[in-house]
Amino acid sequence: MTTRSMQTPSSIPYTLAIFGVLFASICFGLVPYFSRGLTEQGVAPYAVAFYRYVVAATLLLPALISQKESWREIAWGLSAGAVMGLGWIGYVKALETLPASTVGVLYMTYPVFTLAIAWALFADAPTRRSLLASSLIVLAAVIAGSPASIPIQHLPTLLIALAAPLGFGFGICVLVHRLSRITPLARMAAVSLGAVLGLAPLVLTADAAELLPQDRSDWLLIVGIGLVTALVPQLIYTVCAPVIGASQSAVVGSIELPTMFAVGFLAFGEAITAPQAIACAIVMGAIAINRSRKTRNVPTVLAKSPER
């Protein structure tokens, strides 16, 4: 698939693009299944994060090399990837002990961090609608992380889990404000490679027992987390999101959160409590409220051509 084909998505039927975004978002929501499956086999959280990014970083490296003259943008992309990769350790760590539904709600707080970072670092002031949506998301996170849902001894784990949406928010800001001059595939490559480089010191100094699953059959989980939850859905989203627009992509993409709830219920036997269900509904409502032509998220930004 060439870069040009990625930049001319109008040839894709609208309905097909809707299903593409829906499929990709469901794949993103499957992360807890692969993540917890690996950590239960003794794989360290940082190794799980490494496996998620290394496939895309390797396969998309030629796209990054072709943009080597834009070294400033590449440096920003690598930095964003490193922050995102290290932050994702907190997400994987939280999934070891907390319900996937709760961790999913916490992860969906990334728009709040995005607004704060964009305002602080890039003077991108939030709109009233985005502030309202962010307030609702904070309320949802408080409900999902309340003592009624999570024992108080897990509070430190909850706080560590917020490193993932913080890193993701920083990544969105960099993609929006610093990476518009390089091609979409190069942006994906830079962020993925940055995550790999950020996690590499931990991986290189770890024992083999922390890097490899105990059962060889669980290597499929490594393949799955790299392909099923990362590279394949990212590419599909990159092609389909521009067809339906950022606003509609955000609304359709909100299926990611209930997918996490379903994974927790079906794969791990986790009961969905009333506070968690309420938090899920609030988050999805906030996404709907915030949908507008200015709505932006990482996959949509990746999908845009440099000229836009």
Side-chain angles (χ1 to χ4, degrees):
M1 183 176 294
T2 64
T3 301
R4 181 170 296 276
S5 67
M6 299 292 288
Q7 295 177 11
T8 57
S10 58
S11 61
I12 300 175
Y14 186 88
T15 302
L16 182 60
I18 286 282
F19 279 105
V21 172
L22 184 68
F23 173 78
S25 300
I26 290 174
C27 288
F28 294 141
L30 295 177
V31 166
Y33 174 78
F34 295 97
S35 173
R36 186 176 293 179
L38 287 169
T39 55
E40 287 179 349
Q41 288 294 317
V43 180
Y46 53 81
V48 175
F50 180 86
Y51 291 137
R52 185 167 191 256
Y53 289 104
V54 70
V55 176
T58 303
L59 295 182
L60 298 179
L61 185 59
L64 187 62
I65 294 175
S66 69
Q67 301 287 302
K68 58 182 180 298
E69 68 278 2
S70 302
W71 60 269
R72 290 185 179 86
E73 287 76 12
I74 291 175
W76 272 103
L78 294 175
S79 300
V83 173
M84 290 170 62
L86 292 172
W88 213 68
I89 296 175
Y91 177 76
V92 178
K93 185 68 177 177
L95 284 171
E96 288 184 308
T97 55
L98 299 180
S101 53
T102 298
V103 178
V105 171
L106 292 177
Y107 187 75
M108 295 300 286
T109 61
Y110 71 83
V112 179
F113 292 101
T114 303
L115 291 178
I117 295 171
W119 197 359
L121 296 184
F122 302 105
D124 187 358
T127 63
R128 291 182 179 179
R129 180 179 293 186
S130 62
L131 287 174
L132 173 60
S134 296
S135 299
L136 290 174
I137 291 173
V138 170
L139 174 62
V142 171
I143 293 174
S146 67
S149 300
I150 300 297
I152 193 66
Q153 63 265 28
H154 289 309
L155 180 59
T157 305
L158 286 173
L159 296 177
I160 293 174
L162 291 175
L166 172 62
F168 196 42
F170 177 69
I172 291 175
C173 292
V174 171
L175 286 165
V176 170
H177 295 284
R178 290 292 182 266
L179 300 187
S180 62
R181 289 184 55 195
I182 60 178
T183 63
L185 290 182
R187 297 172 209 171
M188 291 176 62
V191 172
S192 298
L193 181 59
V196 169
L197 294 176
L199 294 164
L202 296 173
V203 172
L204 293 175
T205 57
D207 295 331
E210 296 179 313
L211 301 179
L212 305 176
Q214 299 173 3
D215 193 335
R216 291 185 179 180
S217 63
D218 287 323
W219 274 92
L220 291 176
L221 294 174
I222 293 178
V223 175
I225 202 167
L227 293 180
V228 178
T229 75
L231 179 63
V232 171
Q234 284 172 358
L235 290 175
I236 293 175
Y237 206 129
T238 297
V239 173
C240 295
V243 177
I244 66 175
S247 170
Q248 189 71 4
S249 295
V251 175
V252 175
S254 65
I255 192 67
E256 178 180 354
L257 183 57
T259 299
M260 295 181 188
F261 276 57
V263 168
F265 178 75
L266 297 174
F268 307 126
E270 298 173 352
I272 299 176
T273 65
Q276 291 166 342
I278 293 171
C280 178
I282 291 175
V283 169
M284 297 183 70
I287 293 172
I289 288 174
N290 196 42
R291 70 188 188 98
S292 69
R293 293 185 181 274
K294 295 184 178 180
T295 302
R296 293 181 287 195
N297 52 50
V298 166
T300 303
V301 171
L302 288 172
K304 292 182 179 179
S305 65
E307 291 78 14
R308 292 184 179 180

